[in-house]
PDB file of all heavy atoms in Angstrom:
ATOM      1  N   ASP J 275      88.654  66.797 130.072  1.00  0.00           N
ATOM      2  CA  ASP J 275      88.136  65.483 129.665  1.00  0.00           C
ATOM      3  C   ASP J 275      87.515  65.509 128.275  1.00  0.00           C
ATOM      4  O   ASP J 275      87.488  64.506 127.571  1.00  0.00           O
ATOM      5  CB  ASP J 275      87.061  65.017 130.668  1.00  0.00           C
ATOM      6  CG  ASP J 275      87.652  64.780 132.050  1.00  0.00           C
ATOM      7  OD1 ASP J 275      88.897  64.638 132.125  1.00  0.00           O
ATOM      8  OD2 ASP J 275      86.885  64.753 133.033  1.00  0.00           O
ATOM      9  N   ASN J 276      86.993  66.651 127.897  1.00  0.00           N
ATOM     10  CA  ASN J 276      86.238  66.770 126.661  1.00  0.00           C
ATOM     11  C   ASN J 276      87.109  67.232 125.484  1.00  0.00           C
ATOM     12  O   ASN J 276      86.595  67.657 124.458  1.00  0.00           O
ATOM     13  CB  ASN J 276      85.135  67.810 126.918  1.00  0.00           C
ATOM     14  CG  ASN J 276      83.905  67.534 126.103  1.00  0.00           C
ATOM     15  OD1 ASN J 276      83.797  66.486 125.475  1.00  0.00           O
ATOM     16  ND2 ASN J 276      82.996  68.491 126.094  1.00  0.00           N
ATOM     17  N   ALA J 277      88.441  67.170 125.672  1.00  0.00           N
ATOM     18  CA  ALA J 277      89.339  67.813 124.714  1.00  0.00           C
ATOM     19  C   ALA J 277      89.307  67.159 123.342  1.00  0.00           C
ATOM     20  O   ALA J 277      89.223  65.933 123.221  1.00  0.00           O
ATOM     21  CB  ALA J 277      90.763  67.794 125.261  1.00  0.00           C
ATOM     22  N   MET J 278      89.383  68.006 122.318  1.00  0.00           N
ATOM     23  CA  MET J 278      89.523  67.554 120.935  1.00  0.00           C
ATOM     24  C   MET J 278      90.884  67.990 120.421  1.00  0.00           C
ATOM     25  O   MET J 278      91.404  69.022 120.833  1.00  0.00           O
ATOM     26  CB  MET J 278      88.475  68.218 120.035  1.00  0.00           C
ATOM     27  CG  MET J 278      87.090  67.666 120.181  1.00  0.00           C
ATOM     28  SD  MET J 278      85.987  68.501 119.009  1.00  0.00           S
ATOM     29  CE  MET J 278      86.566  67.813 117.454  1.00  0.00           C
ATOM     30  N   ALA J 279      91.424  67.214 119.490  1.00  0.00           N
ATOM     31  CA  ALA J 279      92.688  67.590 118.850  1.00  0.00           C
ATOM     32  C   ALA J 279      92.466  67.682 117.344  1.00  0.00           C
ATOM     33  O   ALA J 279      91.704  66.907 116.773  1.00  0.00           O
ATOM     34  CB  ALA J 279      93.764  66.556 119.163  1.00  0.00           C
ATOM     35  N   LEU J 280      93.150  68.637 116.723  1.00  0.00           N
ATOM     36  CA  LEU J 280      93.015  68.840 115.280  1.00  0.00           C
ATOM     37  C   LEU J 280      94.307  68.431 114.568  1.00  0.00           C
ATOM     38  O   LEU J 280      95.406  68.756 115.022  1.00  0.00           O
ATOM     39  CB  LEU J 280      92.744  70.312 114.965  1.00  0.00           C
ATOM     40  CG  LEU J 280      91.438  70.905 115.486  1.00  0.00           C
ATOM     41  CD1 LEU J 280      91.435  72.417 115.261  1.00  0.00           C
ATOM     42  CD2 LEU J 280      90.241  70.275 114.793  1.00  0.00           C
ATOM     43  N   ILE J 281      94.130  67.727 113.463  1.00  0.00           N
ATOM     44  CA  ILE J 281      95.244  67.406 112.565  1.00  0.00           C
ATOM     45  C   ILE J 281      94.838  67.886 111.173  1.00  0.00           C
ATOM     46  O   ILE J 281      93.747  67.558 110.701  1.00  0.00           O
ATOM     47  CB  ILE J 281      95.517  65.883 112.539  1.00  0.00           C
ATOM     48  CG1 ILE J 281      95.977  65.391 113.919  1.00  0.00           C
ATOM     49  CG2 ILE J 281      96.563  65.540 111.466  1.00  0.00           C
ATOM     50  CD1 ILE J 281      96.069  63.868 114.041  1.00  0.00           C
ATOM     51  N   ALA J 282      95.702  68.674 110.534  1.00  0.00           N
ATOM     52  CA  ALA J 282      95.404  69.154 109.179  1.00  0.00           C
ATOM     53  C   ALA J 282      96.155  68.290 108.177  1.00  0.00           C
ATOM     54  O   ALA J 282      97.367  68.128 108.278  1.00  0.00           O
ATOM     55  CB  ALA J 282      95.826  70.611 109.040  1.00  0.00           C
ATOM     56  N   VAL J 283      95.428  67.718 107.230  1.00  0.00           N
ATOM     57  CA  VAL J 283      96.028  66.898 106.165  1.00  0.00           C
ATOM     58  C   VAL J 283      95.842  67.692 104.873  1.00  0.00           C
ATOM     59  O   VAL J 283      94.717  67.977 104.473  1.00  0.00           O
ATOM     60  CB  VAL J 283      95.345  65.525 106.062  1.00  0.00           C
ATOM     61  CG1 VAL J 283      96.061  64.649 105.027  1.00  0.00           C
ATOM     62  CG2 VAL J 283      95.322  64.830 107.417  1.00  0.00           C
ATOM     63  N   GLN J 284      96.962  68.069 104.241  1.00  0.00           N
ATOM     64  CA  GLN J 284      96.885  69.023 103.142  1.00  0.00           C
ATOM     65  C   GLN J 284      97.723  68.567 101.957  1.00  0.00           C
ATOM     66  O   GLN J 284      98.801  67.986 102.129  1.00  0.00           O
ATOM     67  CB  GLN J 284      97.400  70.387 103.626  1.00  0.00           C
ATOM     68  CG  GLN J 284      96.564  70.984 104.765  1.00  0.00           C
ATOM     69  CD  GLN J 284      95.415  71.813 104.244  1.00  0.00           C
ATOM     70  OE1 GLN J 284      95.614  72.864 103.645  1.00  0.00           O
ATOM     71  NE2 GLN J 284      94.206  71.330 104.449  1.00  0.00           N
ATOM     72  N   GLY J 285      97.236  68.883 100.773  1.00  0.00           N
ATOM     73  CA  GLY J 285      97.976  68.528  99.562  1.00  0.00           C
ATOM     74  C   GLY J 285      97.051  67.900  98.549  1.00  0.00           C
ATOM     75  O   GLY J 285      95.938  67.490  98.887  1.00  0.00           O
ATOM     76  N   PRO J 286      97.506  67.804  97.278  1.00  0.00           N
ATOM     77  CA  PRO J 286      96.626  67.272  96.236  1.00  0.00           C
ATOM     78  C   PRO J 286      96.129  65.856  96.517  1.00  0.00           C
ATOM     79  O   PRO J 286      95.051  65.487  96.057  1.00  0.00           O
ATOM     80  CB  PRO J 286      97.494  67.330  94.972  1.00  0.00           C
ATOM     81  CG  PRO J 286      98.886  67.602  95.424  1.00  0.00           C
ATOM     82  CD  PRO J 286      98.802  68.269  96.749  1.00  0.00           C
ATOM     83  N   ASN J 287      96.882  65.068  97.258  1.00  0.00           N
ATOM     84  CA  ASN J 287      96.445  63.693  97.567  1.00  0.00           C
ATOM     85  C   ASN J 287      95.847  63.553  98.965  1.00  0.00           C
ATOM     86  O   ASN J 287      95.647  62.434  99.449  1.00  0.00           O
ATOM     87  CB  ASN J 287      97.620  62.727  97.405  1.00  0.00           C
ATOM     88  CG  ASN J 287      98.079  62.670  95.961  1.00  0.00           C
ATOM     89  OD1 ASN J 287      97.247  62.728  95.044  1.00  0.00           O
ATOM     90  ND2 ASN J 287      99.380  62.596  95.737  1.00  0.00           N
ATOM     91  N   ALA J 288      95.553  64.697  99.605  1.00  0.00           N
ATOM     92  CA  ALA J 288      95.087  64.652 100.993  1.00  0.00           C
ATOM     93  C   ALA J 288      93.766  63.908 101.141  1.00  0.00           C
ATOM     94  O   ALA J 288      93.615  63.050 102.016  1.00  0.00           O
ATOM     95  CB  ALA J 288      94.951  66.075 101.533  1.00  0.00           C
ATOM     96  N   ARG J 289      92.822  64.219 100.283  1.00  0.00           N
ATOM     97  CA  ARG J 289      91.498  63.618 100.466  1.00  0.00           C
ATOM     98  C   ARG J 289      91.564  62.105 100.285  1.00  0.00           C
ATOM     99  O   ARG J 289      91.013  61.342 101.075  1.00  0.00           O
ATOM    100  CB  ARG J 289      90.496  64.271  99.520  1.00  0.00           C
ATOM    101  CG  ARG J 289      90.358  65.763  99.851  1.00  0.00           C
ATOM    102  CD  ARG J 289      89.166  66.481  99.240  1.00  0.00           C
ATOM    103  NE  ARG J 289      88.680  65.986  97.999  1.00  0.00           N
ATOM    104  CZ  ARG J 289      87.379  65.830  97.717  1.00  0.00           C
ATOM    105  NH1 ARG J 289      86.455  66.123  98.630  1.00  0.00           N
ATOM    106  NH2 ARG J 289      86.992  65.408  96.546  1.00  0.00           N
ATOM    107  N   ALA J 290      92.255  61.664  99.255  1.00  0.00           N
ATOM    108  CA  ALA J 290      92.360  60.216  99.005  1.00  0.00           C
ATOM    109  C   ALA J 290      93.011  59.509 100.190  1.00  0.00           C
ATOM    110  O   ALA J 290      92.565  58.432 100.608  1.00  0.00           O
ATOM    111  CB  ALA J 290      93.164  59.972  97.735  1.00  0.00           C
ATOM    112  N   LYS J 291      94.051  60.112 100.761  1.00  0.00           N
ATOM    113  CA  LYS J 291      94.743  59.477 101.891  1.00  0.00           C
ATOM    114  C   LYS J 291      93.850  59.425 103.124  1.00  0.00           C
ATOM    115  O   LYS J 291      93.856  58.439 103.871  1.00  0.00           O
ATOM    116  CB  LYS J 291      96.033  60.246 102.221  1.00  0.00           C
ATOM    117  CG  LYS J 291      97.157  59.975 101.261  1.00  0.00           C
ATOM    118  CD  LYS J 291      97.645  58.533 101.357  1.00  0.00           C
ATOM    119  CE  LYS J 291      98.729  58.267 100.311  1.00  0.00           C
ATOM    120  NZ  LYS J 291      99.009  56.843 100.160  1.00  0.00           N
ATOM    121  N   VAL J 292      93.080  60.497 103.349  1.00  0.00           N
ATOM    122  CA  VAL J 292      92.193  60.497 104.516  1.00  0.00           C
ATOM    123  C   VAL J 292      91.120  59.416 104.351  1.00  0.00           C
ATOM    124  O   VAL J 292      90.809  58.692 105.308  1.00  0.00           O
ATOM    125  CB  VAL J 292      91.568  61.895 104.728  1.00  0.00           C
ATOM    126  CG1 VAL J 292      90.439  61.851 105.758  1.00  0.00           C
ATOM    127  CG2 VAL J 292      92.646  62.891 105.166  1.00  0.00           C
ATOM    128  N   TRP J 293      90.596  59.276 103.153  1.00  0.00           N
ATOM    129  CA  TRP J 293      89.586  58.229 102.928  1.00  0.00           C
ATOM    130  C   TRP J 293      90.167  56.838 103.112  1.00  0.00           C
ATOM    131  O   TRP J 293      89.471  55.914 103.520  1.00  0.00           O
ATOM    132  CB  TRP J 293      88.995  58.374 101.515  1.00  0.00           C
ATOM    133  CG  TRP J 293      88.200  59.635 101.345  1.00  0.00           C
ATOM    134  CD1 TRP J 293      87.579  60.361 102.327  1.00  0.00           C
ATOM    135  CD2 TRP J 293      87.969  60.347 100.117  1.00  0.00           C
ATOM    136  NE1 TRP J 293      86.977  61.478 101.783  1.00  0.00           N
ATOM    137  CE2 TRP J 293      87.197  61.490 100.436  1.00  0.00           C
ATOM    138  CE3 TRP J 293      88.337  60.137  98.784  1.00  0.00           C
ATOM    139  CZ2 TRP J 293      86.783  62.415  99.461  1.00  0.00           C
ATOM    140  CZ3 TRP J 293      87.920  61.041  97.819  1.00  0.00           C
ATOM    141  CH2 TRP J 293      87.147  62.174  98.154  1.00  0.00           C
ATOM    142  N   GLU J 294      91.452  56.695 102.791  1.00  0.00           N
ATOM    143  CA  GLU J 294      92.119  55.414 102.983  1.00  0.00           C
ATOM    144  C   GLU J 294      92.187  55.065 104.479  1.00  0.00           C
ATOM    145  O   GLU J 294      92.017  53.920 104.866  1.00  0.00           O
ATOM    146  CB  GLU J 294      93.536  55.540 102.405  1.00  0.00           C
ATOM    147  CG  GLU J 294      94.247  54.265 102.091  1.00  0.00           C
ATOM    148  CD  GLU J 294      95.642  54.573 101.506  1.00  0.00           C
ATOM    149  OE1 GLU J 294      95.734  55.370 100.539  1.00  0.00           O
ATOM    150  OE2 GLU J 294      96.620  54.044 102.060  1.00  0.00           O
ATOM    151  N   VAL J 295      92.404  56.091 105.299  1.00  0.00           N
ATOM    152  CA  VAL J 295      92.608  55.863 106.734  1.00  0.00           C
ATOM    153  C   VAL J 295      91.279  55.891 107.499  1.00  0.00           C
ATOM    154  O   VAL J 295      91.104  55.150 108.455  1.00  0.00           O
ATOM    155  CB  VAL J 295      93.593  56.921 107.294  1.00  0.00           C
ATOM    156  CG1 VAL J 295      93.689  56.847 108.808  1.00  0.00           C
ATOM    157  CG2 VAL J 295      94.969  56.724 106.659  1.00  0.00           C
ATOM    158  N   ILE J 296      90.371  56.763 107.064  1.00  0.00           N
ATOM    159  CA  ILE J 296      89.057  56.847 107.717  1.00  0.00           C
ATOM    160  C   ILE J 296      88.007  56.543 106.647  1.00  0.00           C
ATOM    161  O   ILE J 296      87.499  57.443 105.971  1.00  0.00           O
ATOM    162  CB  ILE J 296      88.799  58.245 108.325  1.00  0.00           C
ATOM    163  CG1 ILE J 296      89.990  58.704 109.184  1.00  0.00           C
ATOM    164  CG2 ILE J 296      87.523  58.240 109.159  1.00  0.00           C
ATOM    165  CD1 ILE J 296      89.840  60.102 109.768  1.00  0.00           C
ATOM    166  N   ALA J 297      87.704  55.232 106.490  1.00  0.00           N
ATOM    167  CA  ALA J 297      86.830  54.800 105.398  1.00  0.00           C
ATOM    168  C   ALA J 297      85.470  55.507 105.440  1.00  0.00           C
ATOM    169  O   ALA J 297      84.928  55.900 104.406  1.00  0.00           O
ATOM    170  CB  ALA J 297      86.658  53.293 105.468  1.00  0.00           C
ATOM    171  N   GLN J 298      84.950  55.695 106.660  1.00  0.00           N
ATOM    172  CA  GLN J 298      83.629  56.306 106.801  1.00  0.00           C
ATOM    173  C   GLN J 298      83.591  57.748 106.310  1.00  0.00           C
ATOM    174  O   GLN J 298      82.520  58.304 106.067  1.00  0.00           O
ATOM    175  CB  GLN J 298      83.167  56.296 108.266  1.00  0.00           C
ATOM    176  CG  GLN J 298      82.949  54.921 108.856  1.00  0.00           C
ATOM    177  CD  GLN J 298      84.240  54.359 109.458  1.00  0.00           C
ATOM    178  OE1 GLN J 298      85.353  54.786 109.131  1.00  0.00           O
ATOM    179  NE2 GLN J 298      84.079  53.384 110.326  1.00  0.00           N
ATOM    180  N   ALA J 299      84.758  58.368 106.205  1.00  0.00           N
ATOM    181  CA  ALA J 299      84.783  59.774 105.827  1.00  0.00           C
ATOM    182  C   ALA J 299      84.416  59.976 104.363  1.00  0.00           C
ATOM    183  O   ALA J 299      83.916  61.025 103.973  1.00  0.00           O
ATOM    184  CB  ALA J 299      86.174  60.356 106.082  1.00  0.00           C
ATOM    185  N   LYS J 300      84.627  58.939 103.558  1.00  0.00           N
ATOM    186  CA  LYS J 300      84.467  59.127 102.114  1.00  0.00           C
ATOM    187  C   LYS J 300      83.020  59.475 101.754  1.00  0.00           C
ATOM    188  O   LYS J 300      82.768  60.449 101.026  1.00  0.00           O
ATOM    189  CB  LYS J 300      84.916  57.892 101.349  1.00  0.00           C
ATOM    190  CG  LYS J 300      84.862  58.131  99.844  1.00  0.00           C
ATOM    191  CD  LYS J 300      85.651  57.139  99.044  1.00  0.00           C
ATOM    192  CE  LYS J 300      85.623  57.550  97.559  1.00  0.00           C
ATOM    193  NZ  LYS J 300      86.396  56.641  96.722  1.00  0.00           N
ATOM    194  N   GLU J 301      82.093  58.682 102.283  1.00  0.00           N
ATOM    195  CA  GLU J 301      80.691  58.914 101.936  1.00  0.00           C
ATOM    196  C   GLU J 301      80.256  60.319 102.369  1.00  0.00           C
ATOM    197  O   GLU J 301      79.553  61.019 101.645  1.00  0.00           O
ATOM    198  CB  GLU J 301      79.815  57.857 102.601  1.00  0.00           C
ATOM    199  CG  GLU J 301      78.427  57.824 102.033  1.00  0.00           C
ATOM    200  CD  GLU J 301      77.511  56.856 102.788  1.00  0.00           C
ATOM    201  OE1 GLU J 301      78.040  55.912 103.414  1.00  0.00           O
ATOM    202  OE2 GLU J 301      76.296  57.080 102.759  1.00  0.00           O
ATOM    203  N   ALA J 302      80.720  60.726 103.537  1.00  0.00           N
ATOM    204  CA  ALA J 302      80.285  62.017 104.090  1.00  0.00           C
ATOM    205  C   ALA J 302      80.949  63.207 103.409  1.00  0.00           C
ATOM    206  O   ALA J 302      80.427  64.320 103.460  1.00  0.00           O
ATOM    207  CB  ALA J 302      80.591  62.042 105.590  1.00  0.00           C
ATOM    208  N   THR J 303      82.100  62.984 102.761  1.00  0.00           N
ATOM    209  CA  THR J 303      82.860  64.145 102.290  1.00  0.00           C
ATOM    210  C   THR J 303      83.190  64.124 100.797  1.00  0.00           C
ATOM    211  O   THR J 303      83.721  65.099 100.284  1.00  0.00           O
ATOM    212  CB  THR J 303      84.191  64.260 103.073  1.00  0.00           C
ATOM    213  OG1 THR J 303      84.954  63.064 102.869  1.00  0.00           O
ATOM    214  CG2 THR J 303      83.945  64.460 104.559  1.00  0.00           C
ATOM    215  N   ALA J 304      82.873  63.043 100.098  1.00  0.00           N
ATOM    216  CA  ALA J 304      83.257  62.946  98.683  1.00  0.00           C
ATOM    217  C   ALA J 304      82.624  64.067  97.856  1.00  0.00           C
ATOM    218  O   ALA J 304      83.237  64.589  96.930  1.00  0.00           O
ATOM    219  CB  ALA J 304      82.880  61.583  98.113  1.00  0.00           C
TER     220      ALA J 304
END
Side-chain angles (χ1 to χ4, degrees):
Chain J
D275 295 342
N276 211 9
M278 285 182 71
L280 296 172
I281 296 171
V283 185
Q284 298 272 293
N287 295 323
R289 297 195 331 137
K291 283 293 177 193
V292 169
W293 294 335
E294 199 179 308
V295 172
I296 311 177
Q298 296 88 339
K300 185 163 185 179
E301 194 185 336
T303 60

